[in-house]
Amino acid sequence: NAGVTQTPKFQVLKTGQSMTLQCAQDMNHNSMYWYRQDPGMGLRLIYYSASEGTTDKGEVPNGYNVSRLNKREFSLRLESAAPSQTSVYFCASSQQGNTEAFFGQGTRLTVV
Amino acid sequence: RKEVEQDPGPFNVPEGATVAFNCTYSNSASQSFFWYRQDCRKEPKLLMSVYSSGNEDGRFTAQLNRASQYISLLIRDSKLSDSATYLCVVWYRGKLIFGQGTELSVKP
């Protein structure tokens, strides 16, 4: 029962480096999401994809890009990492937006 | 103004207590509502959906008041294992929007 798989689980980047966070789900879900979670801030939506081939900005999209590669995969890219992007990143998926969302285990990213 | 607002707490209660959490949302067109639970910054997991007529799952009762744009969660007979952060979630136009969460600590 893989569900939603995120990689990597931990990452340390230097300021200015780039990286891609990978997310894959095996539940044939249409909707996928990327969130970041900072202390005291709850989960903030970065980008979401309501269906294969579509992506939309969430609350905090600046500094990020996404790709919905196919129905299973939704990646998040940091082109030039900044210390303000130090956070825990969660990927999630749901069949439709109004049904239960399942989350990956998170990626703990530190930018130094 | 945040789209979904919760009192962050923490709520410190003794075992057996009844505790209630509230949540307000700003968009009257919001369509679906949920409570999620998060343990120690692990991934959130669905606790229960919230329906207009109100719904109950064991010790947990959720209520929705669309007129006031208000959602509540009541936990009866609190257990130590209920200690967690409770997240109010609203779905609107393809977006799942989270409140900042309410921290609950149940003490012996």
Side-chain angles (χ1 to χ4, degrees):
Chain A
N1 281 353
V4 179
T5 303
Q6 276 183 247
T7 55
K9 287 189 169 49
F10 300 93
Q11 183 72 49
V12 178
L13 288 179
K14 293 183 179 178
T15 297
Q17 286 186 317
S18 62
M19 79 162 295
T20 299
L21 280 65
Q22 306 286 354
C23 176
Q25 51 92 7
D26 62 2
M27 296 172 282
N28 201 35
H29 285 169
N30 291 311
S31 299
M32 297 187 74
Y33 313 86
W34 275 106
Y35 293 90
R36 61 177 288 174
Q37 186 173 32
D38 303 296
M41 299 292 288
L43 276 78
R44 291 186 291 169
L45 184 62
I46 304 171
Y47 272 93
Y48 65 103
S49 171
S51 62
E52 184 179 355
T54 68
T55 61
D56 286 284
K57 295 179 180 179
E59 180 186 356
V60 287
N62 291 345
Y64 305 95
N65 286 301
V66 290
S67 295
R68 184 75 183 265
L69 303 167
N70 47 55
K71 194 170 186 179
R72 288 188 65 247
E73 298 172 287
F74 189 38
S75 62
L76 178 72
R77 182 160 178 84
L78 287 70
E79 290 292 351
S80 178
S84 60
Q85 294 178 305
T86 293
S87 190
V88 179
Y89 291 84
F90 287 104
C91 175
S93 72
S94 62
Q95 178 56 28
Q96 301 173 52
N98 59 348
T99 57
E100 180 178 3
F102 294 84
F103 284 78
Q105 292 184 310
T107 297
R108 280 144 183 82
L109 175 67
T110 302
V111 182
V112 297
Chain B
R1 182 186 171 189
K2 284 183 176 289
E3 291 190 70
V4 180
E5 295 203 64
Q6 296 180 249
D7 179 348
F11 284 58
N12 296 304
V13 303
E15 270 188 293
T18 296
V19 61
F21 305 140
N22 302 319
C23 167
T24 58
Y25 59 95
S26 60
N27 195 321
S28 61
S30 297
Q31 296 162 279
S32 299
F33 309 89
F34 310 91
W35 284 100
Y36 278 71
R37 170 185 169 139
Q38 186 177 30
D39 294 278
C40 298
R41 307 275 282 175
K42 294 184 178 178
E43 72 272 24
K45 294 184 179 177
L46 180 68
L47 178 66
M48 59 197 301
S49 300
V50 186
Y51 303 116
S52 297
S53 54
N55 49 299
E56 190 173 304
D57 183 0
R59 297 181 293 109
F60 300 85
T61 301
Q63 298 278 354
L64 168 65
N65 184 322
R66 284 188 183 270
S68 301
Q69 295 178 207
Y70 170 94
I71 306 160
S72 65
L73 177 68
L74 183 76
I75 305 176
R76 290 181 299 278
D77 189 21
S78 298
K79 311 292 185 191
L80 296 176
S81 57
D82 293 334
S83 296
T85 297
Y86 291 83
L87 300 160
C88 176
V89 183
V90 171
W91 182 71
Y92 170 70
R93 284 195 179 177
K95 298 186 291 185
L96 268 177
I97 304 164
F98 283 73
Q100 69 180 107
T102 299
E103 184 182 344
L104 172 66
S105 180
V106 182
K107 307 291 187 185

